[in-house]
Structure formats: C-alpha cells, structure tokens
Amino acid sequence: MPIYRAPVADTLFVLNDVLGYERYANLPGFADASGDVLEAILAEGARLAEEVIQPTNRIGDTQGCKRNDDGSVTTPEAFKDAWAQYREGGWLGLAVPAEFGGQGLPYAVHTAVGEYFVSANMAFMMYPGLTQGAIAAIVAHGNDEQKAAYLPKMADGAWTGTMNLTEPHCGTDLGLLRTKAVPNADGSYKISGQKIFISAGEHDLSENIVHLVLARIEGAPEGVKGISLFIVPKFVLDAEGNPGARNAVSCGSIEEKMGIHGNSTCVMNYDEATGWLLGQENGGLKAMFVMMNEARLGVGLQGLAIGEAAYQNAAAYARERIQGRSLSGPKAPDRQADPIIVHPDIRRKLMTMRSFNEAGRALALWTALRSDVAHRSGDEKDRQLADDLLGLMTPIVKGVLTDKGFEHAVMAQQVFGGHGYIEEHGMSQFVRDARIAMIYEGANGVQALDLVGRKLAQNGGRAVQAFFKEVGEFCETNRSDEKMAPYTKALKKGLNDLQAATMWLMQNAMQRPDNAGAASTDYLHLFGLVALGYMWGQMVKAAQQKLTGGAGDAAPFCEHKLVTGRYFMERVMPETAAHLARISTGADTMMALPAEAF
C-alpha cells in the first residue's frame, strides 16, 4: 500500500528561511498565522492528510462514484467521514475572508497545507478545490445579497461549488457555447443546455451544490463577448436562505475516466433551471477567469503534490528492494544483493524528482505570497508588482508543475519495475490521476500560448522585465560568493537563455504568429526552469546561512539542500539550452507538411 508523509519541515524552511514569511506580518491575516501558530496549522494539516485523507485514496480509486437511478451520486466509502473531519477543521475556509465566514488566513498557508491534502487524495480534494474557486468568483463579482446567501455556507463546507464551462462541442473555444439563458420577470433566468466534464457536479457530501454556469442570454452577441455567468444552485434557496425546491439541474451520467475515480466528473443537464446573473451581463468570461486563475494555481499544486507522493513511495521502495550489486562493489555484503538505491540510474530518477519537487514547492509558495500581497497590501506599487508576477507565473505554475508531475509519477513507477505496473503498489493510480492535471483548467498547450501570446506583452512587458530584474539582481548580488558560484553561474546561464528566447520571439513572432505557437511549449518550460533555478538559488543561500550560523540538528537537512540544489543546477538546468535551440528553429519544419500527409 502507498505511503505518504507531509513535508512539514521543508515547508517551514521555505516559508521562514527562504521567503521571509515574517516580513509579511503587516498584511491582514498574517498576524493570525505567525510563528508557532503557522507550525501548528501545518502539523495538524499533516496529521489530517496522513491519518484521515490518505487512507481513502485507494478506496476512491477502486470503488469510484456511483450514479443512482434518481440521478443522485454516491461517493466512495470513507469520503463522508473524511469530509466531516475536513469540514470540522475549517480547512475549506482557511483563506476565505472572515467577513464571508472564513478564517482570513494567508493564501500561502492555504497553499502549504493544500499540497498535503492533494498528495493524500487528489480526487477527494477536488470537491473543496472547485468550491474555493467558486467562492473566489462570488467574492469578486457577486452582489451583497449573493455573497450573504452563498459564501458562509460554502466557506463552512456545508455547501460546495462547481464551474460549468465545457460543452460537448466546446472546450477551449468558449465562444462556441450554446447553453442559453432566458430572462424571467422576477430577474432570474431559465438556464438550458448541457455541460460535460463537470468535476464534483453531483455528490452526497454537501447539502447543496452551487453551480456557476456560463450561458448566453437570448439576443446577446456571438462569441465570447456575449457570454454571461450564472449562479444555479442544486436546490433553490427558500425565504430563510435554506435549500428548498429541487432545481431543474441533474447529472445525466458520470464520465468514465482514466483516473481520479473518487471524484464525480459529471455530464450536467440544465432544463430551464433557475439561475441568477453573477456579475455583469455579457461579462461572464471576465468573472469566470477569477475562478479559472485560482483553479489553475490549484491544478499546478496538484502536479507537485502527486509528484511528491510518487517520489516518496519510489524512494522507500528503492531503499528496500534488493536487486543486483553496486557497480563499485557490494554495499550490503551480508545480503544476497544490494538495495536498488545504490544504482546510478535509480539515483538519477530519485534526484530528478526530489530536486524538482523541492523547487516546485518553493515556487508554489512564492507565487502564493505574490497573491497575498496583490490582494492584501495597502501599497499600490507593491500590489501592482505582485499582481504582475502572479499573472505571469500562473500559466508557468500550472503548465510546468503538471507536465513534470505526470512525468515524475511515471518515473517513480519505473523505479518499481514490473511491480509499478501492478495495482497493489498504487503507482498506477499516481500516473492515472496526475494525467488529468495537464488537461483540465486549460490544457498545457493553451497555458503556453497564454504565456507567449498574452503575458509577455502585457503592460508593455512590465511583468517579465520585473522577473528578469529580480533574478538578475540575485545572481549579481551573490556573484562574488564562492560557495554560491556553482548555483549562480548555472542560473545566470539559464536566465541568459530565457532572455535570448524572449528576444527571438519579439523579433520573429509578430510577422509570423506560427513562430510563437511553435515556440510556446519550449518557452513555457524554459521559463519554468529559470523560475525553479531561482528558487534553488534562494534555498541554497538560506541553507548556507543556517550552516554558517550553526544549524545544530538542522545541519544534515541543510547539507542535503546544497547537494540537491547542485544536482538540479548540474543535471536539470542545462536543459534551457535545448529549449532555446528548438525555439530558434521557428515553425518552418513543424508546419511544412500538408494536413493530408498526417
């Protein structure tokens, strides 16, 4: 059976020693989660993840969700008890503003414990995950009546939420959607249409499900300019604000999926269901993007979380499984063979996963802190910079962490050899579950196009230039430090490759847009490598400072950081050159064959 231990010590190191969490104490919510309180929150989140949520993961995968004859959905055994404990701890509303029933704690804290919960059971965490996105959309665009009616119950976990975008003929290109909204005399709307791939669309964990649905009001403009967003609850609220009459929305079927079997991914049918406009008429895409951006950061965290869980199991197996002898001589002469962890290729896999996960964790938390500053700071300049970097990093966090999360789940499975292909060890589930994160909330190819086509040029390139400046100044500040040289030299080389790729796009993408499209995925991953390398630079600096000051019992932890960071710089960071080489070839050979030749 798979194992999992939440990396609390690593999270605290990143927050406290690397990112300077205490420097944000002046922002709302941070004072309520400082020092010992932060540590206690992470420790309790780890306990819940390890002892309550993780044991439900295999159950959810094998049992799946069941659609009943009346259209209701039964979730796997043990989910209800886990949900009750998750709800009782107030975890869903951790970062929701206190005025709406949440605890108002930093988004960075929510991100930190969120990793633990997703590593424990990704499918289970999709129920609150979509709810948090729906909460964000209602906070940003709801009127006072809507906020009062829905947010406290959703923050409490009594009600959950969904996002309904995709239709059978319409995925990324939302301008093609056909779901229609017909105005009623009382200001509500009749919503009719079908949505597919709706995560947590119907289930038995909450008293009500608040669907956020994109639809086109009769007579609205064609394309994305005519899309509106509606609140369509499973049960229409009565005069007291409690779930009342059953709305005309139902689960037509549960999708048969490769993974995340514990989550009810539904086909949802709206048959003149009653809904209420959320935000401005024809402003649905803008309102939904609040939810989508929140969800994209959450999906990036899923990639990291699954990669971490898979790595932990691979490392444990490699320490125990004996097979063959070390190339440099027996390491366990009292046994018939050596543990496979002595073999360089196994070490390559483990070090690649570990070095990525530790940097990915830092990047996720660094980005979460940018979100906190953007939404909580009283300094307009600080808010603008944080919001710029948050927008820039969102497609990178989503695309890179999920691509690599899947790649590393497969890599971890490979460590098990044939046993990785057998269900009893659980590695197959990690691979199957990780795969969806590359697809939903905007497929990663779309994330790459968003980065190249929108984020680079936004506000005259203000965000990307700010990032280049920050990384460049870090390299320059530490240039004369001999201990930092192996790290800063590799990081500066990666930054140079990223700047060269950016310049190439500026010179070659305008006259031929296919050049931007052909370069986009390589550019996304090149940018991701530099961002991860920057995280490693900061982690190594912090580890060296702790060692210089006398790390005590933390000395081995810090020494391990230096080795792992050096592996990343020596073995992973050089990939920036390959990405730059591919980008620089342009789109010619990629687009040369006629369509009928494929």
Side-chain angles (χ1 to χ4, degrees), residues 264-335:
S264 53
T265 308
C266 300
V267 174
M268 301 298 297
N269 296 320
Y270 293 84
D271 302 301
E272 296 192 342
T274 303
W276 288 266
L277 185 67
L278 178 62
Q280 298 297 313
E281 184 174 317
N282 300 330
L285 208 58
K286 179 181 177 182
M288 185 61 88
F289 262 114
V290 173
M291 188 173 184
M292 289 177 69
N293 286 334
E294 176 116 350
R296 283 171 177 171
L297 292 172
V299 172
L301 194 68
Q302 288 179 342
L304 168 67
I306 292 293
E308 173 66 24
Y311 159 75
Q312 288 189 19
N313 282 273
Y317 184 81
R319 289 193 300 268
E320 297 167 0
R321 172 73 167 174
I322 62 170
Q323 202 83 176
R325 287 296 187 189
S326 167
L327 297 175
S328 57
K331 297 298 184 290
D334 58 326
R335 306 177 71 181

Side-chain angles (χ1 to χ4, degrees), residues 39-91:
E39 193 165 345
I41 291 171
L42 297 184
E44 178 56 22
R47 185 203 64 79
L48 183 69
E50 295 167 4
E51 299 178 9
V52 177
I53 299 177
Q54 195 273 342
T56 68
N57 195 38
R58 186 72 181 275
I59 296 171
D61 186 55
T62 55
Q63 291 186 358
C65 295
K66 178 186 176 185
R67 181 187 180 278
N68 304 306
D69 291 340
D70 62 357
S72 64
V73 170
T74 302
T75 54
E77 291 176 11
F79 271 36
K80 278 192 174 181
D81 179 63
W83 179 262
Q85 294 189 54
Y86 178 83
R87 180 186 168 192
E88 183 181 357
W91 296 104

Side-chain angles (χ1 to χ4, degrees), residues 546-566:
K546 285 177 76 74
L547 287 168
T548 301
D553 292 342
F557 175 91
C558 293
E559 294 287 357
H560 297 164
K561 282 290 177 193
L562 303 185
V563 174
T564 308
R566 187 151 184 167

Side-chain angles (χ1 to χ4, degrees), residues 53-367:
I53 299 177
Q54 195 273 342
T56 68
N57 195 38
R58 186 72 181 275
I59 296 171
D61 186 55
T62 55
Q63 291 186 358
C65 295
K66 178 186 176 185
R67 181 187 180 278
N68 304 306
D69 291 340
D70 62 357
S72 64
V73 170
T74 302
T75 54
E77 291 176 11
F79 271 36
K80 278 192 174 181
D81 179 63
W83 179 262
Q85 294 189 54
Y86 178 83
R87 180 186 168 192
E88 183 181 357
W91 296 104
L92 199 153
L94 198 68
V96 176
E99 62 186 293
F100 303 127
Q103 299 181 52
L105 297 182
Y107 183 66
V109 178
H110 161 83
T111 299
V113 295
E115 181 200 336
Y116 307 163
F117 298 148
V118 176
S119 286
N121 188 338
M122 176 175 160
F124 175 83
M125 285 306 298
M126 290 171 65
Y127 294 97
L130 273 297
T131 304
Q132 286 154 348
I135 288 171
I138 296 173
V139 167
H141 295 284
N143 58 39
D144 290 342
E145 182 181 355
Q146 290 169 337
K147 291 175 181 177
Y150 294 103
L151 292 178
K153 291 288 190 180
M154 295 173 75
D156 170 70
W159 301 351
T160 56
T162 71
M163 55 192 296
N164 286 237
L165 288 77
T166 307
E167 299 180 6
H169 61 284
C170 164
T172 301
D173 190 353
L174 292 171
L176 300 176
L177 71 81
R178 296 172 186 161
T179 300
K180 65 179 182 179
V182 179
N184 292 319
D186 63 358
S188 65
Y189 291 79
K190 289 186 176 70
I191 309 297
S192 299
Q194 185 180 78
K195 300 289 184 176
I196 63 171
F197 306 156
I198 307 306
S199 302
E202 172 63 25
H203 58 84
D204 55 2
L205 299 179
S206 63
E207 300 166 3
N208 204 357
I209 303 175
V210 182
H211 302 289
L212 298 193
V213 184
L214 285 180
R216 194 184 308 278
I217 298 172
E218 281 191 325
E222 292 297 316
V224 295
K225 293 181 179 180
I227 298 173
S228 299
L229 183 61
F230 298 87
I231 296 176
V232 187
K234 175 180 175 179
F235 293 100
V236 177
L237 307 189
D238 62 21
E240 287 73 41
N242 298 314
R246 184 71 159 85
N247 210 345
V249 52
S250 61
C251 169
S253 64
I254 297 176
E255 306 282 10
E256 295 287 340
K257 310 184 298 290
M258 174 179 173
I260 54 168
H261 296 147
N263 193 267
S264 53
T265 308
C266 300
V267 174
M268 301 298 297
N269 296 320
Y270 293 84
D271 302 301
E272 296 192 342
T274 303
W276 288 266
L277 185 67
L278 178 62
Q280 298 297 313
E281 184 174 317
N282 300 330
L285 208 58
K286 179 181 177 182
M288 185 61 88
F289 262 114
V290 173
M291 188 173 184
M292 289 177 69
N293 286 334
E294 176 116 350
R296 283 171 177 171
L297 292 172
V299 172
L301 194 68
Q302 288 179 342
L304 168 67
I306 292 293
E308 173 66 24
Y311 159 75
Q312 288 189 19
N313 282 273
Y317 184 81
R319 289 193 300 268
E320 297 167 0
R321 172 73 167 174
I322 62 170
Q323 202 83 176
R325 287 296 187 189
S326 167
L327 297 175
S328 57
K331 297 298 184 290
D334 58 326
R335 306 177 71 181
Q336 289 182 307
D338 289 329
I340 62 173
I341 200 167
V342 305
H343 302 308
D345 194 61
I346 296 295
R347 289 295 187 103
R348 176 186 63 83
K349 296 179 178 70
L350 295 177
M351 289 296 289
T352 298
M353 291 184 278
R354 176 175 176 150
S355 66
F356 176 88
N357 290 342
E358 293 182 15
R361 180 171 302 112
L363 181 60
L365 294 171
W366 182 88
T367 306

Side-chain angles (χ1 to χ4, degrees), residues 498-511:
L498 178 58
Q499 290 174 318
T502 306
M503 182 62 67
W504 189 91
L505 285 170
M506 291 173 60
Q507 295 171 344
N508 294 277
M510 290 295 290
Q511 66 269 30

